[in-house]
């Protein structure tokens, strides 16, 4: 480690100890100290959040109607809703709320808050609106589709035929219907923004923890909610610290200055596996790492160019050398492990084939382009590997690095050429979840602003494919539905899509053995309310 890095680590350790009031390097017994990279943590507003990092925070500040069991995602567990019903025709979902929940402000949580929170998502039309728009909800119809027949009953009427169980999965998968204290948020509205600016750095939830402070790219502190409707959280405080360098995270958790460490480099994770005081948790997520092309850009609008790029990625080499601890080889839009997921098509690096395709496309000498990527691992190493193999066929891709807002912001604005990224949700235990995020694009116009759909971001649109996705969702014969989803994957490949999956995410988290009941959630909704710590002598 460089001297400057070591000095920075020592200063951070000192500030951590001073901030907690602890006299020793060990973390306080009633506080959970988490180290992570916060570069992609841009907002705390549940309607605007993107990325796993913020989801893991929001679900501890807010409550949702339901939650998904971390051990079995298809097991939906009650939360704010103690029970729910689905009408015989599958069009109306009725949720029966608990009557003993209060927000952090002290205001009672009622059905009106749930209704207001869901309407807010569609009226704001930010990142989390995309899921609900795919179900037919819109700014125009949402006020009529969600209602509160009484103070503790919520009714959601689906605007179009759908699989109601998928909708329930969505309510639990993201915490994206984190229920907001409508009275408090409305007090902070400005210019009809539904409180969005205020909620970027504040919260108005009912969750087990309350926000104390958030200093971007530095520290976020949450304290225990003493009036939580469940039992109080076991930790009095959760402190999240920002660390840019994996080596610093490794040093801090080895010394005991951190309880949990996220976003570490593979080399450091592998080294820590040998430490008897630490446990490495590896959880396979539904998100995929991918290489994306913009079909708004002339080169990549040509299917032969996109096919050339398909054969200019060293999938096997990248996954073997760069992805252990981050991901496993996967080339399909539907996540691995689903009955409907087809075997990988087996794409491999094939320079001669790619050169031939480029010549047929009118680019025998290749061309210049740009490749955007987060300045974090493993993204940057993937981009460097892709840049190297693209160059062998004459495509000179200048790498542009940046924060999540800069890189994914350009993608959301459809102003990029090539991009290495990660996305696709796949959090709900249903094939439609992956397809909706990676493939589905019901309206390719710039005005549609379907910013949470990777299909829209890349400009990839196929009317027939959209119709196939819609039909498969409504198919009630399990075998026919399975065949429908396999046909969708086949057509997707034949169309030479603008987004090529290369690896399915594995989230590796390092946890000190003193920490108990910490369980990384496959849908990123990692709940911290049950986490506690034992003393050195009680580890067994």
């Amino acid at each position: 480690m460089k001297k400057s890095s070591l000095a920075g680590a020592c200063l951070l350790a000192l500030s951590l100890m001073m901030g907690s009031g602890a006299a020793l390097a060990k973390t306080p017994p009633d506080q959970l100290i988490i180290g992570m990279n916060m570069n992609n943590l841009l907002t705390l507003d549940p309607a605007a959040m993107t990325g796993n990092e913020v989801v893991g925070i929001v679900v501890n500040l807010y409550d949702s109607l339901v939650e998904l069991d971390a051990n079995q995602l298809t097991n939906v567990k009650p939360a704010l809703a103690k029970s729910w019903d689905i009408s015989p025709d599958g069009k109306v979902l009725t949720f029966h709320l608990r009557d003993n929940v209060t927000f952090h402000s002290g205001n009672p949580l009622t059905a009106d808050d749930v209704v207001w929170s869901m309407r807010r998502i569609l009226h704001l039309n930010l990142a989390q609106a995309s899921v609900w728009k795919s179900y037919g909800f819109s700014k125009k119809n949402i006020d009529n589709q969600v209602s509160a027949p009484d103070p503790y009953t919520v009714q959601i009427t689906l605007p179009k035929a759908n699989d109601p169980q998928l909708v329930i999965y969505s309510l639990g998968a993201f915490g994206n219907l984190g229920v907001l204290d409508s009275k408090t948020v409305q007090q902070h509205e400005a210019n009809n923004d539904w409180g969005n600016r205020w909620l970027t750095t504040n919260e108005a939830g009912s969750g087990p923890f309350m926000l104390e402070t958030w200093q971007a790219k530095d520290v976020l502190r949450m304290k225990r909610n003493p009036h939580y409707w469940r039992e109080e959280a076991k930790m009095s405080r959760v402190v999240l610290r920002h660390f840019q360098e994996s080596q610093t995270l490794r040093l801090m958790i080895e010394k005991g200055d951190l309880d949990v460490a996220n976003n570490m480099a593979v080399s450091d994770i592998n080294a820590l596996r040998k430490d008897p005081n630490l446990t490495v948790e590896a959880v396979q997520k539904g998100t995929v790492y991918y290489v994306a092309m913009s079909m708004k850009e002339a080169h990549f609008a040509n299917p032969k160019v996109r096919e050339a790029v398909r054969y200019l990625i060293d999938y096997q080499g990248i996954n073997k050398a760069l992805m252990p601890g981050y991901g496993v080889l996967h080339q399909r839009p539907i996540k691995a492990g689903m009955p409907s997921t087809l075997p990988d098509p087996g794409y491999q690096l094939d320079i001669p084939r790619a050169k031939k395709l480029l010549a047929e496309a009118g680019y025998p000498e290749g061309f210049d382009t740009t490749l955007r990527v987060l300045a974090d691992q493993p993204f940057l190493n993937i981009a460097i590997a892709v840049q190297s193999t693209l160059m062998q066929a004459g495509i000179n891709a200048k790498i542009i690095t940046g924060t999540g807002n800069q890189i994914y912001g350009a993608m959301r604005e459809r102003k990029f050429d090539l991009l290495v990224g990660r996305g696709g949700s796949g959090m709900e235990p249903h094939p439609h979840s992956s397809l909706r995020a990676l493939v589905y694009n019901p309206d390719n116009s710039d005005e549609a602003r379907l910013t949470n759909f990777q299909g829209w971001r890349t400009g990839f649109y196929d009317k027939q494919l959209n119709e196939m996705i819609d039909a498969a969702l409504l198919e009630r014969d399990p075998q026919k539905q399975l065949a429908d989803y396999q046909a969708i994957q086949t057509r997707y490949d034949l169309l030479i899509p603008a987004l090529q999956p290369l690896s399915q995410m594995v989230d590796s988290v390092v946890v000190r053995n003193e920490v108990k009941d910490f369980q990384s959630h496959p849908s990123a909704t990692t709940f911290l309310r049950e986490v506690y710590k034992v003393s050195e002598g009680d580890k067994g």
Side-chain angles (χ1 to χ4, degrees), residues 248-309:
T248 308
L249 274 169
R250 175 179 168 181
L251 173 67
M252 298 286 277
I253 198 161
E254 281 180 319
K255 290 174 58 182
D257 291 323
L258 295 174
D259 299 310
V260 180
N262 292 309
N263 311 115
M264 296 182 66
V266 170
S267 57
D268 291 317
I269 290 170
N270 288 338
L272 293 178
R273 291 181 192 276
K274 303 170 186 175
D275 191 323
N277 297 310
L278 305 172
T279 299
V280 178
E281 283 195 2
V283 179
Q284 189 159 316
K285 300 292 185 72
T287 44
V288 298
Y289 292 90
Y290 56 72
V291 174
M293 298 162 266
S294 174
M295 290 178 63
K296 304 275 285 184
E297 200 278 330
H299 295 110
F300 304 114
N302 188 319
K304 287 190 179 294
V305 173
R306 297 199 303 276
E307 190 174 7
V309 172

Side-chain angles (χ1 to χ4, degrees), residues 170-227:
S170 292
L171 287 168
F174 303 97
N176 70 347
L177 187 55
V179 178
L180 281 71
D181 181 346
S182 59
K183 293 183 177 65
T184 296
V185 177
Q186 288 176 81
Q187 291 170 3
H188 294 89
E189 285 184 349
N191 301 318
N192 297 315
D193 74 342
W194 292 74
N196 171 246
R197 182 172 181 178
W198 182 74
L199 281 172
T200 298
T201 54
N202 294 277
E203 57 91 2
S206 62
F209 293 96
M210 307 161 66
L211 182 67
E212 276 192 306
T213 185
W214 175 33
Q215 300 167 22
K217 297 185 183 180
D218 182 13
V219 63
L220 185 147
R221 290 189 182 90
M222 300 183 284
K223 64 180 179 180
R224 179 166 55 206
N225 173 10
H227 305 295

Side-chain angles (χ1 to χ4, degrees), residues 43 107 128-129 150 228 322 419 422 425:
T43 178
N107 292 331
Q128 292 305 322
D150 64 57
Y228 192 46
L322 307 179
L419 185 144
R422 185 182 70 201
S425 74

Side-chain angles (χ1 to χ4, degrees), residues 12 34-37 241-245 248-249 252 258:
L12 283 166
I34 301 174
M36 61 187 291
N37 188 322
R241 307 287 311 202
H242 172 64
F243 296 95
Q244 184 83 21
E245 296 183 5
T248 308
L249 274 169
M252 298 286 277
L258 295 174

Side-chain angles (χ1 to χ4, degrees), residues 326-388:
Y326 291 123
V328 292
L329 178 65
H330 186 66
Q331 298 173 332
R332 293 290 188 189
I334 297 178
K335 65 180 180 179
M338 302 290 289
S340 58
T341 307
L342 287 173
D344 273 348
Y347 298 129
Q348 298 185 25
L349 179 65
D350 190 335
I351 303 295
R353 186 171 183 174
K355 284 183 174 180
K356 182 174 183 294
L357 286 162
L358 287 173
E360 292 172 359
Y363 304 104
E365 304 302 321
F367 54 86
D368 293 339
T369 190
T370 59
L371 174 59
R372 294 179 186 268
V373 64
L374 292 177
D376 302 323
Q377 299 304 346
F379 302 96
L380 187 54
N381 278 342
I382 296 172
I384 292 170
V386 171
Q387 179 192 46
S388 173

